[in-house]
């Protein structure tokens, strides 16, 4: 079966996010004064061939831990849907 | 009221995604042979002060169109949740 893993990666709370800060300032310059804190991370989708949802989640988690996320500075969340 | 906008930005289908291709190749090198197509985009969260969910969505959409997404090459999707 084919699954789609959607992975959201964000800088951990409390760590510096200069890109988020820069975007936040630009929001004000655009007149969007109702926008407060901004965080900028990565969004990654993986197509996974797997027997079930649990195994697909495990593959996505290995990919996150070994390659996609820097676990010292970033946290990730994984959504799995059947394709 | 405070809302959280979670914005997922991906390269449009059919357009070149060299970063996704590179990650896809690395998956094979890591032994994750069950992972097929990979797309790499951006994940952005905005804290929005707004009267209701609809107005918060509209603010997030303006931010996407004016600043966050390159609409020629990227597509975005917005999720709004009350904070």
């Amino acid at each position: 079966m084919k699954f789609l893993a959607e992975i959201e990666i964000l800088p951990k709370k409390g760590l510096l996010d200069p890109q988020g800060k820069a975007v936040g300032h630009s929001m004000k310059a655009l007149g969007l004064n109702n926008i407060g804190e901004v965080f900028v991370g990565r969004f990654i989708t993986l197509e996974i061939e797997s027997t079930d949802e649990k195994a697909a989640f495990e593959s996505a988690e290995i990919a996150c831990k070994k390659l996609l996320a820097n676990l010292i500075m970033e946290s990730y969340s994984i959504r799995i849907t059947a394709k």
Side-chain angles (χ1 to χ4, degrees), chain A:
Chain A
M1 267 183 84
K2 278 200 176 164
F3 293 90
L4 180 73
E6 295 174 295
I7 300 168
E8 297 168 349
I9 298 175
L10 274 185
K12 282 186 180 167
K13 300 269 158 185
L15 289 183
L16 226 57
D17 178 16
Q19 212 183 342
K21 288 272 176 298
V23 172
H25 287 300
S26 305
M27 293 294 175
K28 305 278 178 291
L30 281 176
L32 291 166
N33 293 307
N34 60 335
I35 295 184
E37 211 166 24
V38 178
F39 290 98
V40 177
R42 294 192 303 291
F43 180 62
I44 298 161
T45 66
L46 310 175
E47 193 189 72
I48 302 178
E49 180 68 46
S50 181
T51 49
D52 58 51
E53 204 171 308
K54 190 167 166 283
F57 184 90
E58 280 162 13
S59 290
E61 194 153 45
I62 292 170
C64 283
K65 288 185 176 163
K66 286 201 179 171
L67 183 70
L68 300 174
N70 171 352
L71 299 182
I72 297 168
M73 297 171 60
E74 297 171 327
S75 58
Y76 61 84
S77 76
I78 300 170
R79 277 196 312 273
I80 302 283
T81 46
K83 225 180 159 182

